[in-house]
Amino acid sequence: TKGLIKTEISTETITNIEIFNSQGRLLQSSDSFQKIDIRNLCNGMYFITLKNIKGQLFTKKVIKNAR
């Protein structure tokens, strides 16, 4: 991706989004779910964790490469 990520999970069920770097450091936390904006982050690998209203976590690996 170059910086904007669209989720496929219904936004009504998401309660939190967190973005971690490859070392596990929390970089961003948000309760805004239309699109996830990582344009301000450097190129590299990140993990995005979505939490739903049931407390379930969904984590996806994302590679940012702004060429």
Side-chain angles (χ1 to χ4, degrees):
T1 183
K2 293 185 180 181
L4 289 176
I5 301 166
K6 184 177 176 184
T7 64
E8 294 181 7
I9 298 172
S10 172
T11 57
E12 295 106 38
T13 64
I14 299 172
T15 60
N16 193 358
I17 296 175
E18 296 179 325
I19 301 173
F20 298 89
N21 66 12
S22 58
Q23 288 80 36
R25 182 174 156 232
L26 178 64
L27 302 176
Q28 293 180 17
S29 183
S30 177
D31 56 3
S32 174
F33 314 119
Q34 296 297 346
K35 291 183 181 175
I36 302 167
D37 187 355
I38 61 170
R39 290 180 287 190
N40 63 327
L41 300 176
C42 297
N43 289 350
M45 181 174 62
Y46 298 93
F47 295 92
I48 298 177
T49 300
L50 306 169
K51 183 178 181 181
N52 69 14
I53 58 175
K54 294 180 181 179
Q56 297 170 310
L57 299 175
F58 303 91
T59 302
K60 288 291 185 178
K61 179 173 68 173
V62 174
I63 306 293
K64 181 183 178 205
N65 187 4
R67 287 188 178 178

